[in-house]
């Protein structure tokens, strides 16, 4: 079983650790080593946007954790890329690294009461989606497939945490 770096960057939901690591084993056959980096985050932060630049965070991870088969960063920070208002995550297509932001996955972000079950469901879907990209999967037209594109949280809620048969077939080639 290959090993992944699970980098928790200002992500404090430690109670979800087992669910996340079990998901990595189940869907990607990955063991994970949890890392809480001690880094100066100012160079990734845009004061103008009050967000963190996900592409730069991925670059940081690749530079510092290249020995791992896959690198997954999870953060509570709100992320962006310059052409979009925000991103739930970003990944290298056919690469090694991905990042997922939990910031907009919490029901509280939308003025709703806390709902741990809904939150972890959204988080697992985004983890599977972004890691799917690192295995070469592109966005899927099947709206129930985890690789379906999500531009808002409602689209995340509609899809499954699983890959459709076509995407699963491609994933099993790796």
């Amino acid at each position: 079983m290959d090993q992944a770096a699970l980098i928790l960057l200002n992500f404090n939901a430690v109670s979800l650790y087992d669910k996340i690591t079990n998901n990595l084993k189940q869907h990607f056959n990955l063991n994970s080593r949890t890392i809480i980096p001690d880094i100066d985050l100012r160079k990734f932060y845009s004061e103008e946007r009050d967000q963190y630049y996900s592409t730069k965070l991925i670059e940081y991870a690749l530079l510092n954790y290249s020995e791992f088969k896959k690198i997954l960063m999870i953060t509570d920070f709100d992320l962006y890329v310059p052409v979009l208002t925000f991103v739930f995550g970003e990944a290298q297509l056919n690469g090694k690294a991905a990042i997922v932001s939990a910031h907009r996955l919490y029901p509280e972000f939308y003025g709703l009461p806390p709902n741990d079950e809904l939150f972890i469901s959204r988080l697992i879907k985004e983890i599977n989606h972004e890691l799917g990209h690192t295995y070469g999967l592109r966005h899927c037209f099947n709206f129930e497939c985890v690789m379906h594109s999500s531009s808002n949280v409602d689209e995340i809620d509609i899809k499954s945490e699983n890959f459709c048969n076509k995407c699963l077939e491609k994933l099993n080639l790796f």
Side-chain angles (χ1 to χ4, degrees), residues 9-36:
L9 189 62
N10 191 42
F11 180 72
N12 300 311
V14 178
S15 63
L16 301 178
Y17 174 77
D18 285 345
K19 289 182 180 178
I20 294 168
T21 57
N22 287 337
N23 178 67
L24 294 177
K25 286 179 188 169
Q26 178 189 350
H27 284 98
F28 300 99
N29 200 29
L30 291 170
N31 276 326
S32 57
R33 189 174 113 203
T34 303
I35 300 167
I36 300 174

Side-chain angles (χ1 to χ4, degrees), residues 72-117:
L72 173 63
M73 300 178 84
I74 303 175
T75 184
D76 277 331
F77 293 138
D78 198 18
L79 299 176
Y80 79 97
V81 294
V83 297
L84 297 173
T85 305
F86 72 92
V87 291
F88 291 115
E90 181 181 351
Q92 292 181 295
L93 185 63
N94 263 329
K96 179 179 275 217
I99 187 167
V100 171
S101 168
H103 186 80
R104 294 173 188 258
L105 302 178
Y106 292 99
E108 300 93 306
F109 182 82
Y110 305 95
L112 300 171
N115 181 331
D116 291 344
E117 189 175 317

Side-chain angles (χ1 to χ4, degrees), residues 53-84:
Y53 191 1
S54 57
T55 306
K56 294 289 183 193
L57 286 165
I58 286 175
E59 289 172 7
Y60 162 82
L62 288 167
L63 190 63
N64 291 283
Y65 303 101
S66 63
E67 70 271 23
F68 290 92
K69 172 81 173 178
K70 296 291 177 185
I71 304 165
L72 173 63
M73 300 178 84
I74 303 175
T75 184
D76 277 331
F77 293 138
D78 198 18
L79 299 176
Y80 79 97
V81 294
V83 297
L84 297 173

